[in-house]
mmCIF file of all heavy atoms in Angstrom:
data_model
loop_
_atom_site.group_PDB
_atom_site.id
_atom_site.type_symbol
_atom_site.label_atom_id
_atom_site.label_comp_id
_atom_site.label_asym_id
_atom_site.label_seq_id
_atom_site.Cartn_x
_atom_site.Cartn_y
_atom_site.Cartn_z
ATOM 1 N N LEU A 199 30.220 -16.023 -21.381
ATOM 2 C CA LEU A 199 30.897 -15.195 -22.382
ATOM 3 C C LEU A 199 31.579 -14.031 -21.624
ATOM 4 O O LEU A 199 30.905 -13.168 -21.071
ATOM 5 C CB LEU A 199 29.895 -14.692 -23.408
ATOM 6 C CG LEU A 199 30.448 -13.820 -24.543
ATOM 7 C CD1 LEU A 199 31.538 -14.505 -25.306
ATOM 8 C CD2 LEU A 199 29.263 -13.477 -25.485
ATOM 9 N N LEU A 200 32.912 -14.055 -21.591
ATOM 10 C CA LEU A 200 33.643 -13.031 -20.852
ATOM 11 C C LEU A 200 33.851 -11.765 -21.687
ATOM 12 O O LEU A 200 33.808 -11.877 -22.895
ATOM 13 C CB LEU A 200 35.023 -13.594 -20.457
ATOM 14 C CG LEU A 200 34.980 -14.664 -19.343
ATOM 15 C CD1 LEU A 200 36.404 -15.148 -19.066
ATOM 16 C CD2 LEU A 200 34.309 -14.136 -18.101
ATOM 17 N N LYS A 201 34.019 -10.624 -21.066
ATOM 18 C CA LYS A 201 34.065 -10.505 -19.617
ATOM 19 C C LYS A 201 32.716 -10.177 -19.014
ATOM 20 O O LYS A 201 32.492 -10.357 -17.830
ATOM 21 C CB LYS A 201 34.974 -9.325 -19.224
ATOM 22 C CG LYS A 201 36.426 -9.497 -19.579
ATOM 23 C CD LYS A 201 37.168 -8.168 -19.161
ATOM 24 C CE LYS A 201 38.322 -7.955 -20.068
ATOM 25 N NZ LYS A 201 38.941 -6.641 -19.851
ATOM 26 N N GLY A 202 31.787 -9.681 -19.853
ATOM 27 C CA GLY A 202 30.563 -9.077 -19.330
ATOM 28 C C GLY A 202 29.727 -9.971 -18.436
ATOM 29 O O GLY A 202 28.985 -9.471 -17.623
ATOM 30 N N SER A 203 29.838 -11.324 -18.626
ATOM 31 C CA SER A 203 28.922 -12.178 -17.900
ATOM 32 C C SER A 203 29.489 -12.624 -16.518
ATOM 33 O O SER A 203 28.819 -13.416 -15.869
ATOM 34 C CB SER A 203 28.615 -13.453 -18.740
ATOM 35 O OG SER A 203 29.752 -14.288 -18.747
ATOM 36 N N SER A 227 35.648 -9.112 -31.048
ATOM 37 C CA SER A 227 34.874 -8.539 -32.162
ATOM 38 C C SER A 227 35.871 -7.947 -33.152
ATOM 39 O O SER A 227 36.763 -7.229 -32.796
ATOM 40 C CB SER A 227 33.910 -7.476 -31.662
ATOM 41 O OG SER A 227 34.437 -6.822 -30.535
ATOM 42 N N GLU A 257 25.191 -14.777 -21.442
ATOM 43 C CA GLU A 257 25.654 -13.476 -21.899
ATOM 44 C C GLU A 257 25.076 -12.346 -21.031
ATOM 45 O O GLU A 257 23.950 -12.490 -20.530
ATOM 46 C CB GLU A 257 25.262 -13.253 -23.401
ATOM 47 C CG GLU A 257 26.250 -12.309 -24.082
ATOM 48 C CD GLU A 257 25.835 -11.882 -25.470
ATOM 49 O OE1 GLU A 257 24.774 -12.205 -25.956
ATOM 50 O OE2 GLU A 257 26.693 -11.204 -26.093
ATOM 51 N N ASP A 258 25.825 -11.279 -20.954
ATOM 52 C CA ASP A 258 25.339 -10.153 -20.174
ATOM 53 C C ASP A 258 24.164 -9.428 -20.853
ATOM 54 O O ASP A 258 23.144 -9.174 -20.248
ATOM 55 C CB ASP A 258 26.461 -9.144 -19.867
ATOM 56 C CG ASP A 258 27.209 -8.676 -21.105
ATOM 57 O OD1 ASP A 258 26.960 -9.211 -22.232
ATOM 58 O OD2 ASP A 258 28.080 -7.780 -20.981
ATOM 59 N N ILE A 259 24.330 -9.138 -22.161
ATOM 60 C CA ILE A 259 23.325 -8.324 -22.848
ATOM 61 C C ILE A 259 23.324 -8.665 -24.321
ATOM 62 O O ILE A 259 24.394 -8.841 -24.913
ATOM 63 C CB ILE A 259 23.516 -6.813 -22.568
ATOM 64 C CG1 ILE A 259 22.403 -5.976 -23.171
ATOM 65 C CG2 ILE A 259 24.899 -6.339 -23.078
ATOM 66 C CD1 ILE A 259 22.408 -4.542 -22.653
ATOM 67 N N VAL A 260 22.134 -8.785 -24.878
ATOM 68 C CA VAL A 260 21.997 -8.943 -26.344
ATOM 69 C C VAL A 260 21.631 -7.567 -26.906
ATOM 70 O O VAL A 260 20.578 -7.032 -26.543
ATOM 71 C CB VAL A 260 20.930 -10.014 -26.719
ATOM 72 C CG1 VAL A 260 20.838 -10.120 -28.215
ATOM 73 C CG2 VAL A 260 21.246 -11.329 -26.110
ATOM 74 N N ASP A 261 22.462 -7.047 -27.736
ATOM 75 C CA ASP A 261 22.260 -5.717 -28.307
ATOM 76 C C ASP A 261 22.023 -5.869 -29.812
ATOM 77 O O ASP A 261 20.890 -6.154 -30.239
ATOM 78 C CB ASP A 261 23.487 -4.879 -27.971
ATOM 79 C CG ASP A 261 23.327 -3.420 -28.353
ATOM 80 O OD1 ASP A 261 22.405 -3.086 -29.086
ATOM 81 O OD2 ASP A 261 24.111 -2.587 -27.889
ATOM 82 N N SER A 262 23.080 -5.750 -30.652
ATOM 83 C CA SER A 262 22.863 -5.920 -32.083
ATOM 84 C C SER A 262 22.709 -7.390 -32.451
ATOM 85 O O SER A 262 22.202 -7.739 -33.497
ATOM 86 C CB SER A 262 24.097 -5.392 -32.819
ATOM 87 O OG SER A 262 25.204 -6.249 -32.628
ATOM 88 N N GLY A 263 23.163 -8.291 -31.564
ATOM 89 C CA GLY A 263 23.052 -9.706 -31.857
ATOM 90 C C GLY A 263 24.254 -10.282 -32.600
ATOM 91 O O GLY A 263 24.338 -11.493 -32.771
ATOM 92 N N ASN A 264 25.172 -9.416 -32.994
ATOM 93 C CA ASN A 264 26.335 -9.893 -33.783
ATOM 94 C C ASN A 264 27.117 -10.932 -33.033
ATOM 95 O O ASN A 264 27.483 -11.989 -33.579
ATOM 96 C CB ASN A 264 27.273 -8.722 -34.094
ATOM 97 C CG ASN A 264 26.691 -7.815 -35.155
ATOM 98 O OD1 ASN A 264 25.822 -8.254 -35.931
ATOM 99 N ND2 ASN A 264 27.110 -6.603 -35.189
ATOM 100 N N THR A 265 27.409 -10.675 -31.762
ATOM 101 C CA THR A 265 28.237 -11.592 -30.981
ATOM 102 C C THR A 265 27.595 -12.946 -30.921
ATOM 103 O O THR A 265 28.208 -13.995 -31.183
ATOM 104 C CB THR A 265 28.452 -11.066 -29.562
ATOM 105 O OG1 THR A 265 28.969 -9.713 -29.657
ATOM 106 C CG2 THR A 265 29.438 -11.911 -28.784
ATOM 107 N N ILE A 266 26.314 -12.952 -30.543
ATOM 108 C CA ILE A 266 25.648 -14.242 -30.348
ATOM 109 C C ILE A 266 25.473 -14.957 -31.694
ATOM 110 O O ILE A 266 25.599 -16.190 -31.738
ATOM 111 C CB ILE A 266 24.308 -14.036 -29.563
ATOM 112 C CG1 ILE A 266 23.998 -15.371 -28.872
ATOM 113 C CG2 ILE A 266 23.175 -13.592 -30.392
ATOM 114 C CD1 ILE A 266 25.048 -15.815 -27.906
ATOM 115 N N ASN A 267 25.203 -14.261 -32.757
ATOM 116 C CA ASN A 267 25.027 -14.906 -34.049
ATOM 117 C C ASN A 267 26.302 -15.627 -34.444
ATOM 118 O O ASN A 267 26.274 -16.726 -34.955
ATOM 119 C CB ASN A 267 24.631 -13.897 -35.093
ATOM 120 C CG ASN A 267 23.184 -13.491 -35.002
ATOM 121 O OD1 ASN A 267 22.357 -14.203 -34.364
ATOM 122 N ND2 ASN A 267 22.790 -12.378 -35.610
ATOM 123 N N LEU A 287 20.168 -9.347 -19.952
ATOM 124 C CA LEU A 287 19.474 -8.217 -20.519
ATOM 125 C C LEU A 287 19.253 -8.431 -22.024
ATOM 126 O O LEU A 287 20.148 -8.974 -22.701
ATOM 127 C CB LEU A 287 20.261 -6.900 -20.300
ATOM 128 C CG LEU A 287 20.541 -6.560 -18.827
ATOM 129 C CD1 LEU A 287 21.628 -5.496 -18.773
ATOM 130 C CD2 LEU A 287 19.283 -6.047 -18.146
ATOM 131 N N LYS A 289 17.950 -6.159 -25.410
ATOM 132 C CA LYS A 289 17.464 -4.862 -25.907
ATOM 133 C C LYS A 289 16.430 -5.008 -27.019
ATOM 134 O O LYS A 289 15.787 -4.013 -27.403
ATOM 135 C CB LYS A 289 18.627 -3.999 -26.412
ATOM 136 C CG LYS A 289 19.469 -3.412 -25.305
ATOM 137 C CD LYS A 289 20.536 -2.453 -25.870
ATOM 138 C CE LYS A 289 21.378 -1.856 -24.733
ATOM 139 N NZ LYS A 289 22.490 -1.025 -25.276
ATOM 140 N N ALA A 292 17.895 -6.590 -32.284
ATOM 141 C CA ALA A 292 18.438 -7.402 -33.328
ATOM 142 C C ALA A 292 17.299 -7.901 -34.240
ATOM 143 O O ALA A 292 16.352 -8.510 -33.753
ATOM 144 C CB ALA A 292 19.194 -8.590 -32.751
ATOM 145 N N LEU A 295 17.947 -12.776 -34.919
ATOM 146 C CA LEU A 295 18.870 -13.496 -34.044
ATOM 147 C C LEU A 295 18.876 -14.969 -34.415
ATOM 148 O O LEU A 295 17.842 -15.594 -34.551
ATOM 149 C CB LEU A 295 18.406 -13.401 -32.582
ATOM 150 C CG LEU A 295 18.902 -12.225 -31.749
ATOM 151 C CD1 LEU A 295 18.456 -12.418 -30.309
ATOM 152 C CD2 LEU A 295 20.398 -12.086 -31.799
ATOM 153 N N PRO A 307 16.073 -1.129 -21.744
ATOM 154 C CA PRO A 307 15.834 0.077 -22.558
ATOM 155 C C PRO A 307 16.970 0.280 -23.543
ATOM 156 O O PRO A 307 18.088 -0.216 -23.306
ATOM 157 C CB PRO A 307 15.783 1.173 -21.502
ATOM 158 C CG PRO A 307 16.632 0.691 -20.374
ATOM 159 C CD PRO A 307 16.423 -0.816 -20.371
ATOM 160 N N PRO A 308 16.699 0.973 -24.660
ATOM 161 C CA PRO A 308 17.757 1.182 -25.649
ATOM 162 C C PRO A 308 18.749 2.253 -25.243
ATOM 163 O O PRO A 308 18.971 3.254 -25.895
ATOM 164 C CB PRO A 308 16.943 1.637 -26.887
ATOM 165 C CG PRO A 308 15.744 2.306 -26.314
ATOM 166 C CD PRO A 308 15.416 1.608 -25.040
ATOM 167 N N GLU A 309 19.346 2.052 -24.078
ATOM 168 C CA GLU A 309 20.338 3.015 -23.534
ATOM 169 C C GLU A 309 21.637 2.243 -23.278
ATOM 170 O O GLU A 309 21.651 1.045 -23.250
ATOM 171 C CB GLU A 309 19.804 3.588 -22.197
ATOM 172 C CG GLU A 309 18.570 4.431 -22.354
ATOM 173 C CD GLU A 309 17.907 4.618 -20.999
ATOM 174 O OE1 GLU A 309 18.619 4.655 -19.955
ATOM 175 O OE2 GLU A 309 16.673 4.768 -20.965
ATOM 176 N N PHE A 310 22.682 3.009 -23.038
ATOM 177 C CA PHE A 310 23.935 2.362 -22.690
ATOM 178 C C PHE A 310 23.956 2.036 -21.211
ATOM 179 O O PHE A 310 23.805 2.931 -20.381
ATOM 180 C CB PHE A 310 25.166 3.184 -23.104
ATOM 181 C CG PHE A 310 26.374 2.288 -23.186
ATOM 182 C CD1 PHE A 310 26.624 1.531 -24.324
ATOM 183 C CD2 PHE A 310 27.232 2.160 -22.104
ATOM 184 C CE1 PHE A 310 27.712 0.683 -24.389
ATOM 185 C CE2 PHE A 310 28.315 1.285 -22.157
ATOM 186 C CZ PHE A 310 28.579 0.558 -23.303
ATOM 187 N N LEU A 311 24.088 0.760 -20.910
ATOM 188 C CA LEU A 311 23.968 0.294 -19.517
ATOM 189 C C LEU A 311 25.312 -0.192 -18.993
ATOM 190 O O LEU A 311 26.132 -0.719 -19.765
ATOM 191 C CB LEU A 311 22.947 -0.845 -19.488
ATOM 192 C CG LEU A 311 21.572 -0.495 -19.946
ATOM 193 C CD1 LEU A 311 20.687 -1.737 -19.996
ATOM 194 C CD2 LEU A 311 20.915 0.589 -19.099
ATOM 195 N N VAL A 312 25.512 0.019 -17.714
ATOM 196 C CA VAL A 312 26.766 -0.416 -17.060
ATOM 197 C C VAL A 312 26.453 -1.061 -15.749
ATOM 198 O O VAL A 312 25.335 -0.938 -15.191
ATOM 199 C CB VAL A 312 27.729 0.792 -16.824
ATOM 200 C CG1 VAL A 312 28.161 1.418 -18.132
ATOM 201 C CG2 VAL A 312 27.109 1.794 -15.872
ATOM 202 N N GLY A 313 27.407 -1.793 -15.202
ATOM 203 C CA GLY A 313 27.288 -2.381 -13.898
ATOM 204 C C GLY A 313 26.952 -3.844 -13.976
ATOM 205 O O GLY A 313 26.516 -4.365 -14.992
ATOM 206 N N GLY A 315 28.714 -6.333 -14.183
ATOM 207 C CA GLY A 315 29.528 -6.993 -15.258
ATOM 208 C C GLY A 315 29.681 -6.154 -16.491
ATOM 209 O O GLY A 315 30.653 -6.288 -17.248
ATOM 210 N N LEU A 316 28.686 -5.298 -16.770
ATOM 211 C CA LEU A 316 28.751 -4.472 -17.992
ATOM 212 C C LEU A 316 29.646 -3.284 -17.821
ATOM 213 O O LEU A 316 29.610 -2.642 -16.753
ATOM 214 C CB LEU A 316 27.359 -3.995 -18.405
ATOM 215 C CG LEU A 316 26.399 -5.066 -18.964
ATOM 216 C CD1 LEU A 316 25.576 -5.654 -17.827
ATOM 217 C CD2 LEU A 316 25.488 -4.449 -19.999
ATOM 218 N N ASP A 317 30.403 -3.000 -18.862
ATOM 219 C CA ASP A 317 31.367 -1.899 -18.722
ATOM 220 C C ASP A 317 31.132 -0.783 -19.758
ATOM 221 O O ASP A 317 30.420 -0.955 -20.738
ATOM 222 C CB ASP A 317 32.788 -2.425 -19.044
ATOM 223 C CG ASP A 317 32.986 -2.734 -20.508
ATOM 224 O OD1 ASP A 317 32.222 -3.526 -21.076
ATOM 225 O OD2 ASP A 317 33.924 -2.153 -21.105
ATOM 226 N N HIS A 318 31.740 0.354 -19.446
ATOM 227 C CA HIS A 318 31.955 1.381 -20.423
ATOM 228 C C HIS A 318 33.465 1.649 -20.403
ATOM 229 O O HIS A 318 33.977 2.138 -19.389
ATOM 230 C CB HIS A 318 31.188 2.661 -20.090
ATOM 231 C CG HIS A 318 31.479 3.764 -21.063
ATOM 232 N ND1 HIS A 318 32.208 4.859 -20.692
ATOM 233 C CD2 HIS A 318 31.137 3.934 -22.364
ATOM 234 C CE1 HIS A 318 32.318 5.678 -21.764
ATOM 235 N NE2 HIS A 318 31.665 5.123 -22.766
ATOM 236 N N ARG A 323 32.227 -2.151 -14.177
ATOM 237 C CA ARG A 323 31.813 -3.511 -14.123
ATOM 238 C C ARG A 323 31.403 -3.973 -12.737
ATOM 239 O O ARG A 323 30.607 -4.864 -12.533
ATOM 240 C CB ARG A 323 32.941 -4.460 -14.606
ATOM 241 C CG ARG A 323 33.196 -4.418 -16.087
ATOM 242 C CD ARG A 323 34.058 -5.601 -16.517
ATOM 243 N NE ARG A 323 34.718 -5.401 -17.803
ATOM 244 C CZ ARG A 323 34.130 -5.699 -18.967
ATOM 245 N NH1 ARG A 323 32.911 -6.110 -19.006
ATOM 246 N NH2 ARG A 323 34.770 -5.497 -20.121
ATOM 247 N N ALA A 329 22.976 0.318 -14.284
ATOM 248 C CA ALA A 329 22.651 1.738 -14.366
ATOM 249 C C ALA A 329 22.781 2.177 -15.810
ATOM 250 O O ALA A 329 23.478 1.557 -16.627
ATOM 251 C CB ALA A 329 23.555 2.536 -13.452
HETATM 252 P P1 LIG B 109 25.960 -7.336 -29.543
HETATM 253 O O1 LIG B 109 26.967 -8.150 -30.263
HETATM 254 O O2 LIG B 109 25.730 -5.990 -30.180
HETATM 255 O O3 LIG B 109 24.656 -8.062 -29.288
HETATM 256 O O4 LIG B 109 26.540 -6.946 -28.139
HETATM 257 C C1 LIG B 109 27.352 -7.828 -27.536
HETATM 258 C C2 LIG B 109 28.203 -7.208 -26.414
HETATM 259 O O5 LIG B 109 28.326 -5.805 -26.518
HETATM 260 C C3 LIG B 109 27.587 -7.518 -25.076
HETATM 261 O O6 LIG B 109 27.957 -8.806 -24.666
HETATM 262 C C4 LIG B 109 28.235 -6.417 -24.249
HETATM 263 O O7 LIG B 109 29.520 -6.831 -23.811
HETATM 264 C C5 LIG B 109 28.339 -5.233 -25.208
HETATM 265 N N1 LIG B 109 27.209 -4.340 -25.004
HETATM 266 C C6 LIG B 109 26.108 -4.203 -25.771
HETATM 267 N N2 LIG B 109 25.273 -3.277 -25.284
HETATM 268 C C7 LIG B 109 25.857 -2.820 -24.142
HETATM 269 C C8 LIG B 109 25.478 -1.827 -23.170
HETATM 270 O O8 LIG B 109 24.427 -1.188 -23.184
HETATM 271 N N3 LIG B 109 26.353 -1.659 -22.115
HETATM 272 C C9 LIG B 109 27.549 -2.366 -22.032
HETATM 273 N N4 LIG B 109 27.935 -3.262 -22.935
HETATM 274 C C10 LIG B 109 27.108 -3.482 -24.000
#
Side-chain angles (χ1 to χ4, degrees):
L199 181 56
L200 289 179
K201 296 177 212 172
S203 74
S227 31
E257 207 188 6
D258 53 354
I259 185 165
V260 180
D261 188 346
S262 72
N264 287 338
T265 307
I266 204 60
N267 284 343
L287 301 165
K289 286 188 179 172
L295 270 186
E309 294 164 31
F310 200 82
L311 302 173
V312 297
L316 289 91
D317 72 304
H318 175 252
R323 288 194 197 275

